[in-house]
């Protein structure tokens, strides 16, 4: 059966490639030299480089060379046609969907090579800003079956619902029968959700489903059915009962606010033993293991401060454990997340502030009252805040990041302001993807 190419909000999927090839593909034989930051193999080709998905260093492969890999014309994209001679670091992918599903990019790498590649992503980003000598801790690992949060996509065509993740570089859906990355109880909802969405979605319609494993049960947010009539709402309630889902919310589009539809049981996530009730769809570190590694790195390196600022604090992943040791000021842009943290904080020495830290970072004067600052921005990084920190006298800064490139940019800013990057912790909580988290420890000599 042909995969569908639907058009719907908020994630329209079509069978069109993202960029139309400028010329017809031609075949070539190349040898992979390294794996790049997005997980594609890289080979030299006619004075430039060609990116080849699903390859490892040493692979001799036949490829269909396509168009420029990016707007700057740095290299060419290609499709892998045939592995003529495999390189030494290959492994059998554990998932039947690997290659088609865009959720994972590197299941075909032998484990030691995979771990070295992840550390190399952090090292390479730091080297590009002249900080490649920073001492690097070993990679913290997250096992398969541990991811507690996922955003699935779903699409209904006739009597069938496709449910899974987008295919690689495509808006088409990979209809998943397994996912070794996710907690099994999270993926166990895929089949029941297909049944539910068959009755809730219109033909040709789609939605996204954000699923989070919380204390109390699974929390679901349906993003995208434009409207939900009374019968559909009732079906969601029955689904919650039948499948033991703790909370179900609905959000008409990406910019909307989730509306609770069924709330069967209290939900919480505990930070250092303190239960916080996340608003539907709130940010949470992707795995308990990843979160533990990040928190351990922060606590081990924050020193013994009296007053700490936790910037981009979210629900309090770092603020709560820090507040057991010091007075903490948690700053965050998302009002519902901050309200949840405030409500849970009780007797903790914790103050909170809602603030846009891109537009209005804490100034050097405001920072002067803190002995330590922790910051954990989204992928875009914290350019403005790093600039303000660079002009401050805060003795210790611990930066957490999910993007080595913006982490390195902000690290350079701090280094130019006189900070020394004394330790780097790479943390792998997005197993088999090209993502890696970083914790960097900065102090004034
Ligand atoms: C990577 S999350 C980290 C959250 C928290 N530290 C944690 O570990 O769970 C980034 C946080 O930054 C917040 N954020 C995004 N843009 C922001 C902005 N411009 N100003 C303040 N906070 C922002 C998000 O709401 C989110 O909570």
């Amino acid at each position: 059966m042909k995969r569908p190419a639907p058009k719907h909000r908020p994630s329209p999927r079509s069978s069109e490639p993202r960029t139309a090839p400028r010329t017809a593909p031609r075949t070539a034989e190349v040898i992979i030299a390294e794996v790049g930051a997005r997980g594609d193999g890289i080979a030299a080709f006619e004075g430039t480089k060609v990116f080849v998905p699903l390859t490892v260093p040493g692979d001799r492969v036949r490829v269909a060379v396509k168009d420029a890999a990016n707007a700057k014309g740095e290299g060419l994209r290609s499709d892998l046609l045939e592995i003529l001679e495999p390189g030494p670091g290959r492994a059998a992918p554990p998932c039947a969907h690997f290659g088609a599903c865009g959720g994972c990019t590197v299941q075909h790498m032998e484990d030691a090579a995979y771990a070295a590649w992840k550390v190399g992503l952090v090292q390479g980003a730091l080297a590009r800003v002249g900080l490649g000598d920073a001492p690097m801790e070993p990679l913290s690992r997250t096992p398969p079956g541990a991811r507690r949060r996922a955003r699935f996509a779903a699409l209904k065509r006739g009597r069938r619902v496709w449910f899974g993740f987008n295919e690689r570089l495509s808006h088409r859906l990979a209809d998943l029968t397994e996912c070794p990355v996710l907690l099994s109880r999270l993926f166990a909802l895929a089949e029941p959700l297909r049944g539910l969405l068959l009755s809730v979605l219109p033909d040709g319609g789609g939605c996204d489903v954000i699923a989070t494993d919380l204390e109390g049960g699974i929390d679901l947010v349906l993003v995208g059915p434009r409207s939900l009539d009374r019968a559909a709402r009732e079906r969601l309630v029955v689904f919650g009962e039948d499948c033991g889902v703790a909370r179900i919310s609905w959000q008409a589009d990406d910019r909307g606010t989730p509306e609770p539809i069924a709330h069967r049981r209290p939900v919480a996530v505990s930070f250092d033993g303190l239960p916080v009730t996340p608003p539907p769809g709130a940010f949470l570190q992707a795995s308990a293991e990843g979160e533990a590694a990040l928190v351990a790195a922060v606590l081990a390196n924050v020193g013994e401060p009296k007053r700490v600022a936790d910037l981009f604090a979210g629900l309090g992943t770092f603020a709560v454990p820090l507040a057991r040791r010091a007075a903490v000021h948690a700053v965050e842009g998302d009002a519902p997340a901050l309200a949840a943290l405030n409500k849970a904080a009780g007797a903790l020495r914790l103050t909170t502030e809602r603030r846009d830290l891109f537009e209005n970072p804490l100034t050097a004067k405001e920072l002067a009252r803190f002995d330590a600052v922790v910051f954990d921005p989204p992928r875009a990084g914290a350019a403005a805040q790093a600039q303000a920190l660079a002009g401050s006298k805060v003795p210790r800064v611990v930066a957490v990041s999910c993007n080595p490139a913006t982490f390195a940019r902000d690290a350079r800013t701090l280094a130019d302001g006189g900070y020394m990057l004394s330790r780097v912790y790479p943390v792998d909580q997005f197993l088999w993807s090209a993502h890696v988290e970083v914790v960097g420890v900065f102090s004034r000599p």
Side-chain angles (χ1 to χ4, degrees):
M1 190 174 192
K2 195 171 177 292
R3 279 186 297 269
K7 288 189 179 68
H8 76 94
R9 285 166 181 268
S11 306
R13 295 168 177 81
S14 85
S15 57
E16 291 297 313
R18 272 190 187 155
T19 317
R22 288 184 203 136
T23 51
R26 59 207 163 104
T27 62
E29 195 182 306
V30 295
I31 295 175
I32 304 300
E34 59 177 326
V35 176
R38 291 187 180 172
D40 290 340
I42 303 175
F45 177 69
E46 294 183 352
T48 181
K49 54 190 173 186
V50 63
F51 295 93
V52 190
L54 310 173
T55 53
V56 297
D59 275 349
R60 190 164 65 83
V61 291
R62 202 160 61 79
V63 300
V65 181
K66 301 195 295 189
D67 53 344
N70 61 32
K72 291 186 202 155
E74 293 164 340
L76 299 160
R77 293 190 311 144
S78 74
D79 286 334
L80 175 63
L81 298 176
E82 190 182 354
I83 299 170
L84 301 167
E85 204 178 312
R90 285 202 153 265
C95 178
H97 300 287
F98 180 66
C101 174
C104 290
T105 24
V106 285
Q107 285 188 4
H108 59 294
M109 256 188 218
E110 179 266 321
D111 190 62
Y114 166 80
W117 170 68
K118 284 251 158 150
V119 174
L121 294 179
V122 179
Q123 233 148 14
L126 285 170
R128 280 189 282 282
V129 298
L131 295 171
D133 290 342
M136 186 76 62
E137 293 292 313
L139 183 69
S140 291
R141 310 291 299 268
T142 299
R147 179 104 172 252
R148 65 180 172 190
R149 191 166 194 272
R151 183 170 180 142
F152 299 102
L155 168 76
K156 179 176 167 184
R157 269 290 163 87
R159 296 299 304 155
R160 181 173 166 187
V161 170
W162 274 255
F163 187 91
F165 299 122
N166 282 353
E167 291 186 356
R168 240 182 91 79
L169 296 178
S170 160
H171 293 286
R172 287 194 314 201
L173 254 179
D175 193 27
L176 299 184
T177 54
E178 63 172 335
C179 179
V181 169
L182 297 179
L183 282 168
S184 56
R185 57 183 173 272
L186 208 58
F187 191 74
L189 280 179
E191 199 49 34
L193 276 165
R194 281 188 184 94
L196 170 74
L197 295 173
L198 194 61
S199 66
V200 166
L201 294 175
D203 192 16
C207 70
D208 286 359
V209 179
I210 303 171
T212 312
D213 182 66
L214 294 172
E215 293 155 30
I218 287 175
D219 186 34
L220 294 179
V221 184
L222 266 57
V223 186
R226 303 295 291 170
S227 61
L228 219 53
D229 62 18
R230 192 191 180 112
R233 284 165 186 265
E234 280 166 9
R235 273 184 218 113
L236 258 59
V237 173
V238 172
F239 175 84
E241 299 282 336
D242 291 350
C243 298
V245 173
R247 185 172 67 177
I248 306 182
S249 315
W250 165 63
Q251 192 178 316
D253 59 45
D254 255 332
R255 278 168 296 184
T257 306
E259 177 192 327
I261 301 289
H263 197 156
R264 298 179 52 252
R265 278 199 300 271
V267 287
V269 57
S270 287
F271 302 128
D272 206 2
L274 182 85
V276 178
T277 300
F283 176 88
L284 198 60
Q285 296 293 344
S287 70
E289 290 81 354
E291 179 189 300
L294 296 172
V295 170
V298 167
L299 294 181
N301 290 285
V302 80
E304 292 183 1
K306 288 199 172 61
R307 286 178 301 275
V308 186
D310 179 19
L311 310 181
F312 304 94
L315 293 168
T317 304
F318 305 116
V320 171
L322 285 167
R324 302 230 190 255
R325 295 156 175 81
V328 175
H329 186 56
V331 186
E332 160 65 42
D334 184 53
L338 215 49
L341 173 57
N342 260 322
K343 195 171 173 193
L348 285 181
R349 287 178 293 161
L350 183 84
T351 54
T352 59
E353 179 181 355
R354 186 186 177 197
R355 183 156 167 168
D356 185 332
L357 291 165
F358 291 170
E359 299 292 330
N360 187 19
L362 265 68
T363 62
K365 198 172 161 198
E366 289 173 294
L367 291 164
R369 68 188 172 104
F370 300 111
D371 320 302
V373 168
V374 175
F375 72 93
D376 178 20
R379 287 187 67 73
Q385 189 59 71
Q387 202 65 54
L389 278 163
S392 80
K393 293 194 167 54
V394 177
R396 184 67 66 101
V397 174
V398 183
V400 183
S401 168
C402 56
N403 183 347
T406 55
F407 169 77
R409 180 201 64 201
D410 296 346
R412 184 68 259 166
T413 302
L414 292 175
D416 290 345
Y419 282 96
M420 196 181 80
L421 176 54
S422 56
R423 196 167 291 175
V424 178
Y425 294 78
V427 174
D428 184 22
Q429 66 169 338
F430 291 97
L431 185 63
W432 297 319
S433 80
H435 294 286
V436 60
E437 316 271 319
V438 198
V439 179
V441 183
F442 299 85
S443 43
R444 290 209 173 273

